[in-house]
DNA sequence: TATAATGTTTGAAC
DNA sequence: AGTTCAAACATTAT
């Protein structure tokens, strides 16, 4: 479910309810869900992996974490964390984190940090990376305040495509490679979006979960890298280690 | 069937 | 005081 493109798909899938009034609400979320009853949804937004339901003076933030799911005009067997009922349909969210953000949503988010947002600012990402030269690039790509929306799959695919070893130190990577990593994080995120919509995402994985490098035919290394200790799949022959 | 996985926050321990 | 770490949350495919 989780990475940024999947949340964009969710946003597109619920557009039929934008501007609609919630006529009933239920679920086992710990937030005050009754607050949503009879309120009109002004807009759905996303910021990376955050799905945002915006009302006049507050926003419901939904994070799918690792296992979150949703159903539109359908129900699973289990009790939903949150169910929103409209005059002509409903949305059900399961196993997700839900929080309320007070006031203008723009005060909570910097849209320039979201790789899939129209306000994405690659120069800002570059400046942010310049501030963390000692971090490994595998950790930096997962920093949501630099590459909001990038998850572990996108990380592995971007590093493979750019031929950069995940344990490279940010400050040792040549500037042209940093720029290509920033660019590719956007390009691949939108490819991810298209492929996911067509149920063919995995078919296009070049490195993630793969056993062999398709460039040189040597085995890919699987290793839990960086301080975040997320699994990386990489080719020590084709991906350069800058240290 | 046990394990691991597209994630993040929290709070204890050092 | 800063870091590191495990725990917690919880589902599903292999």
């Amino acid at each position: 479910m989780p990475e940024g493109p999947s949340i964009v798909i969710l946003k597109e899938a619920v557009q039929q309810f934008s501007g609609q009034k919630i006529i009933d609400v239920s679920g086992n979320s710990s937030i005050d869900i009754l607050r949503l009853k009879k309120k009109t949804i002004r807009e759905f937004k996303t910021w990376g992996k955050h799905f945002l339901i915006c009302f006049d003076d507050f926003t419901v933030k939904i994070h799918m974490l690792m296992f979150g799911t949703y159903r539109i005009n359908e129900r699973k067997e289990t009790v939903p964390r949150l169910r929103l009922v409209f005059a002509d349909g409903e949305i059900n969210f399961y196993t997700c984190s839900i929080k309320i953000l007070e006031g203008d949503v723009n005060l909570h988010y910097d849209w320039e940090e979201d790789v899939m947002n129209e306000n994405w600012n690659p120069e800002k990402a570059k400046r942010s990376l310049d501030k963390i030269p000692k971090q490994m690039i595998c950790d930096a790509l997962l920093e949501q305040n630099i590459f909001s929306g990038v998850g572990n799959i996108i990380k592995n695919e971007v590093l493979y495509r750019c031929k950069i070893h995940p344990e490279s130190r940010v400050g040792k990577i040549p500037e042209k490679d940093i720029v290509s990593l920033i660019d590719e994080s956007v390009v691949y995120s939108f490819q991810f979006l298209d492929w996911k919509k067509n149920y063919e995402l995995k078919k296009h994985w070049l490195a993630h979960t793969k056993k062999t490098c398709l460039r040189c035919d040597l085995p890919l290394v699987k290793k839990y890298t960086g301080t975040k200790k997320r699994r990386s799949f990489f080719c020590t022959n084709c991906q350069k280690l800058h240290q």
Side-chain angles (χ1 to χ4, degrees), chain A residues 144-163:
Chain A
Q144 297 302 294
N145 288 307
I146 304 178
F147 296 100
S148 177
V150 170
N152 206 39
I153 296 171
I154 297 175
K155 174 199 84 177
N156 281 322
E157 291 297 307
V158 166
L159 287 168
Y160 184 78
R161 283 164 166 76
C162 293
K163 302 184 182 178

Side-chain angles (χ1 to χ4, degrees), chain A residues 63-78:
Chain A
H63 200 303
M64 296 298 186
L65 300 177
M66 198 77 97
F67 309 123
T69 52
Y70 62 88
R71 293 289 186 274
I72 298 165
N73 300 325
E74 287 177 15
R75 296 181 179 189
K76 294 178 72 169
E77 302 262 325
T78 56

Side-chain angles (χ1 to χ4, degrees), chain A residues 6-210:
Chain A
S6 297
I7 307 305
V8 171
I9 289 172
L10 165 57
K11 183 179 94 171
E12 293 177 357
V14 296
Q15 279 311 305
Q16 61 187 111
F17 301 116
S18 186
Q20 288 219 15
K21 185 197 278 189
I22 295 168
I23 59 174
D24 199 14
V25 58
S26 58
N28 60 15
S29 168
S30 58
I31 66 161
D32 173 22
I33 57 175
L34 289 180
R35 185 175 175 184
L36 310 188
K37 193 165 180 173
K38 297 181 180 170
K39 295 279 196 328
T40 297
I41 293 175
R42 292 304 167 205
E43 191 180 8
F44 294 108
K45 295 176 77 70
T46 66
W47 181 83
K49 301 164 189 172
H50 298 204
F51 178 63
L52 304 168
I53 307 172
C54 304
F55 298 89
D56 280 331
D57 48 14
F58 69 98
T59 293
V60 173
K61 175 184 92 178
I62 298 184
H63 200 303
M64 296 298 186
L65 300 177
M66 198 77 97
F67 309 123
T69 52
Y70 62 88
R71 293 289 186 274
I72 298 165
N73 300 325
E74 287 177 15
R75 296 181 179 189
K76 294 178 72 169
E77 302 262 325
T78 56
V79 175
R81 178 112 327 138
L82 180 66
R83 168 175 296 149
L84 303 177
V85 181
F86 304 90
D88 58 352
E90 66 181 31
I91 315 174
N92 294 291
F93 297 97
Y94 305 87
T95 34
C96 51
S97 161
I98 303 183
K99 288 182 177 163
I100 300 261
L101 304 176
E102 300 293 345
D104 185 351
V105 69
N106 294 299
L107 300 176
H108 294 272
Y109 292 104
D110 182 345
W111 309 105
E112 295 189 346
E113 296 169 346
D114 179 353
V115 297
M116 302 193 74
N117 192 281
E118 59 182 4
N119 295 307
W120 163 248
N121 184 341
E123 290 82 19
K124 181 186 169 101
K126 173 72 169 62
R127 291 195 296 273
S128 298
L129 290 177
D130 288 342
K131 291 176 191 163
I132 52 167
K134 292 181 179 173
Q135 280 197 35
M136 288 183 181
I137 189 63
C138 58
D139 285 328
L141 280 166
L142 293 173
E143 280 298 332
Q144 297 302 294
N145 288 307
I146 304 178
F147 296 100
S148 177
V150 170
N152 206 39
I153 296 171
I154 297 175
K155 174 199 84 177
N156 281 322
E157 291 297 307
V158 166
L159 287 168
Y160 184 78
R161 283 164 166 76
C162 293
K163 302 184 182 178
I164 303 296
H165 192 294
E167 295 178 309
S168 297
R169 301 287 167 181
V170 169
K172 301 294 184 182
I173 301 173
E175 175 156 339
K176 67 170 175 47
D177 289 326
I178 290 288
V179 169
S180 78
L181 284 167
I182 293 170
D183 290 347
E184 188 62 24
S185 68
V186 176
V187 169
Y188 183 73
S189 290
F190 281 96
Q191 286 185 326
F192 185 127
L193 175 64
D194 289 339
W195 290 330
K196 181 92 180 174
K197 282 179 178 174
N198 292 321
Y199 308 101
E200 59 180 14
L201 178 66
K202 292 184 185 182
K203 189 171 87 181
H204 297 279
W205 286 348
L206 304 181
H208 195 253
T209 72
K210 296 296 176 181

Side-chain angles (χ1 to χ4, degrees), chain A residues 213-231:
Chain A
C213 177
L214 57 85
R215 294 196 181 101
C216 72
D217 214 38
L218 289 172
L220 289 183
V221 173
K222 173 189 169 184
K223 182 179 179 186
Y224 293 83
T225 59
T227 60
K228 295 189 191 300
K229 296 184 171 56
R230 302 297 303 277
R231 61 180 186 164

